[in-house]
Amino acid sequence: MAATPITVAVVLGLLTLLYIVTRKRDEENKPLLKLPLIGDLHSSPIDKPLLNWDSWTKENGPVAVPKLFGLIPIVVLNSYEAVTELFSRRSQWYSNRPPSVSMEMITGAEPGQSKFTLMHDYDDHLKFHHRILAPSLGALAAPQYHPLMELESKQLLFDLSNATRQFPQGISTETIYPLLERTQSSVILALHYGMRIPSFEEHILHEIIHIQTQVTHLAANPGIPDIIPPLRHLPAFLSPWKRAADKLYATQVDLYMRLFRHGRDSAGWNSTKQAIATAEKYSKGGVPDLDLAFTLATSIQGGMETSPRQLLWLFIAALHQPSFMARAHALLDEVVGRDRLPKFSDRSGLAFIDAIMHELFRWRPISPGSIPRRADRDDEFNGIKIKRGVTLMANAWAIGRDEKVFDPKLGDTGDFVPERWLQRDDGGEERLRTDLPLPVFGQGRRICQGKRVATDGSFMHVACLLWAFDIEPADGELVDPWAMVVAGFMTMPKEVKFKLRPRGDWVINVINKEWETAEKSLGKVMGTDVDVENN
Ligand code: HEM
């Protein structure tokens, strides 16, 4: 039976009234309103949002308590010291996310129990799901997924070299983006489900992107039940939100279970098989397939949308401060040569390329406000009161510019200076610094579970792109490194046109030869069907 609009309006009105009255009666423990994952702090002004954050951080110091929409207090952590103290040292009180009714409703879950790892409360269930993910996203899995990343980088170069022939006068970031998106989607889907994405036109890719867009939209924009949580209890026939949430849940179950079965039944190692093996080993009563399917799906959400946007900033850095390119080219010629593409086995000799990748994540963190946390007790830091239940955001933009951590003597923190990530070891060799943070991945118990996959993949793509191409301004095009757009809770550069030129004929020859002869069967690329924890 469908409810009439009048019934819905009346029930809504009553519930709103009830909610306001109960809140007034219980001022002390009043629930905080649901926040969008990222609010208007960085989405205004629309044009250059982070320019605003820069001066705002300088004015406010290490911790600021602005009001979102002028109403809701939110604690913003602007220094490495503040985020380390709260999210790492006091992590038992700062490891939950702010409540999100929508994200629970679209996974058919109770409060705090969203089936997405990202939004679940930090309890035993979540710890166990982190445990399930760890072997397939960490160091043990790297030898399994490195050949996959090398393969996808080869296709990226092959696709890009074709595209550069089509656009000799200049190629735009909008033309390149789908090629980067295909590359990363193929890495993530092959890693998780043994499913390569050979072309951007693949139907399954668009099915996933379509669902992700709906989920990200809900995560970034509060719905009415987020503002009036009791609405979650309305039955579907009275609630348009419940009907929409149930529909999105059913669509997700169908998709994630199809992906899960594909992973379980396909040839070669992948994260689905690893998750099943890990769950069987460590759980007493077994883990339902649907739970595993959503846990794996959180990683595809986190993994597919992020890295391609981050990589676009490489082109902006190269156009804005091109001096690092000559050094990168000389190093790649010396270590890799001109007869083959870079491989992971070259990495120890390519510290400067690793430094470029790290600087990219610091200079233009694509999720500058990170993913929020909530305070689970009344607390105080540096004289600033933090009220229980309040939302906290780690300002990755400001933390990456914290001069107590990133020494400005090594380069202005506003500039793109890869050298800040290098130091000499006892033998005089230049090595990547491992003592500096990458704030874009968060910190403490809820740190990004896919950080290793993201940085390994980005290293390989940056090495291959710089090995193959010169990046130069297109005639008459000015590059503004501040020009960016906000997409969901991420930022990406505004469209810009530039020249992407193969560094010589040898580049095309090597790319064509390596792509033609590459092993593309995942059963072979991903190695044998093993539990990596037993290796
Ligand atoms: C450029 C790439 C990426 C960025 C910038 C990024 C950023 C983040 C951030 C900021 C968080 C929240 C951290 C916190 O609260 O402290 C997060 C969580 C997460 N990320 Fe990533 N991520 C990236 C790639 C990936 C990849 C490749 C995967 C998996 C293959 C992944 C899986 C996850 C998961 C499962 C969580 C949830 C952790 C939790 O809430 O307990 N991410 N990511």
Side-chain angles (χ1 to χ4, degrees), residues 97 118 130 303 306 361 370-371 373 440-443 446 448 450:
R97 307 278 177 210
L118 185 77
H130 275 181
T306 40
F361 282 106
S370 199
I371 311 285
R373 308 284 184 85
V440 70
F441 292 106
Q443 197 164 325
R446 299 308 289 261
C448 173

Side-chain angles (χ1 to χ4, degrees), residues 47-356:
D47 192 30
K48 293 176 183 171
L50 295 175
L51 205 54
N52 216 27
W53 270 43
D54 230 14
S55 53
W56 183 82
T57 303
K58 283 188 186 114
E59 276 163 33
N60 287 279
V63 180
V65 190
K67 292 224 164 124
L68 199 61
F69 308 126
L71 284 173
I72 307 156
I74 174 166
V75 175
V76 182
L77 308 177
N78 293 322
S79 75
Y80 185 57
E81 188 198 348
V83 78
T84 304
E85 178 58 37
L86 298 183
F87 287 5
S88 292
R89 293 199 195 104
R90 301 185 203 172
S91 60
Q92 68 266 46
W93 300 294
Y94 293 98
S95 292
N96 284 315
R97 307 278 177 210
S100 174
V101 176
S102 297
M103 296 304 279
E104 284 148 13
M105 285 174 76
I106 61 162
T107 63
E110 294 300 312
Q113 303 297 306
S114 168
K115 285 197 169 57
F116 289 126
T117 311
L118 185 77
M119 299 305 296
H120 198 286
D121 274 357
Y122 193 79
D123 55 13
D124 286 346
H125 176 98
L126 186 83
K127 282 186 215 162
F128 187 55
H129 280 249
H130 275 181
R131 176 74 189 84
I132 288 173
L133 279 178
S136 52
L137 301 180
L140 289 177
Q144 309 283 140
Y145 66 62
H146 279 171
L148 167 70
M149 288 171 174
E150 290 172 354
L151 171 68
E152 297 305 347
S153 276
K154 283 178 193 170
Q155 180 169 349
L156 173 64
L157 292 189
F158 183 75
D159 291 348
L160 272 174
S161 60
N162 288 337
T164 54
R165 271 196 292 280
Q166 263 182 294
F167 302 99
Q169 299 312 318
I171 194 162
S172 95
T173 42
E174 293 225 337
T175 309
I176 288 182
Y177 187 71
L179 306 183
L180 296 174
E181 205 177 0
R182 182 219 64 81
T183 307
Q184 182 64 9
S185 303
S186 200
V187 166
I188 295 296
L189 295 173
L191 166 63
H192 285 81
Y193 307 112
M195 180 184 280
R196 270 205 82 222
I197 302 294
S199 123
F200 187 68
E201 276 67 50
E202 290 290 314
H203 178 265
I204 185 74
L205 178 59
H206 290 275
E207 195 182 342
I208 296 170
I209 292 174
H210 180 62
I211 291 187
Q212 279 188 355
T213 309
Q214 294 176 62
V215 173
T216 309
H217 179 81
L218 271 177
N221 302 281
I224 303 226
D226 292 307
I227 298 166
I228 311 167
L231 287 180
R232 70 183 303 149
H233 302 301
L234 278 184
F237 74 91
L238 280 179
S239 163
W241 310 285
K242 175 108 174 68
R243 287 199 296 278
D246 287 350
K247 191 168 162 209
L248 184 51
Y249 179 43
T251 319
Q252 290 183 93
V253 170
D254 172 57
L255 173 67
Y256 301 153
M257 284 308 295
R258 260 188 288 138
L259 292 171
F260 178 83
R261 285 191 290 270
H262 191 283
R264 187 193 57 198
D265 301 337
S266 62
W269 176 87
N270 61 51
S271 304
T272 301
K273 290 183 187 179
Q274 183 63 50
I276 294 170
T278 312
E280 273 169 10
K281 253 189 315 186
Y282 298 110
S283 83
K284 289 193 190 90
V287 178
D289 287 354
L290 189 62
D291 259 17
L292 290 179
F294 267 87
T295 295
L296 292 159
T298 310
S299 288
I300 64 166
Q301 279 274 342
M304 280 169 58
E305 290 187 334
T306 40
S307 296
R309 293 194 166 108
Q310 193 68 63
L311 272 179
L312 278 184
W313 286 108
L314 175 70
F315 302 108
I316 310 300
L319 295 166
H320 176 57
Q321 289 183 275
S323 57
F324 72 90
M325 296 280 289
R327 184 172 171 191
H329 286 158
L331 181 69
L332 286 158
D333 283 348
E334 185 195 320
V335 175
V336 180
R338 296 183 166 193
D339 298 326
R340 63 169 179 85
L341 296 179
K343 297 183 195 164
F344 277 101
S345 51
D346 300 317
R347 195 168 184 175
S348 59
L350 294 177
F352 185 63
I353 304 298
D354 242 328
I356 293 172

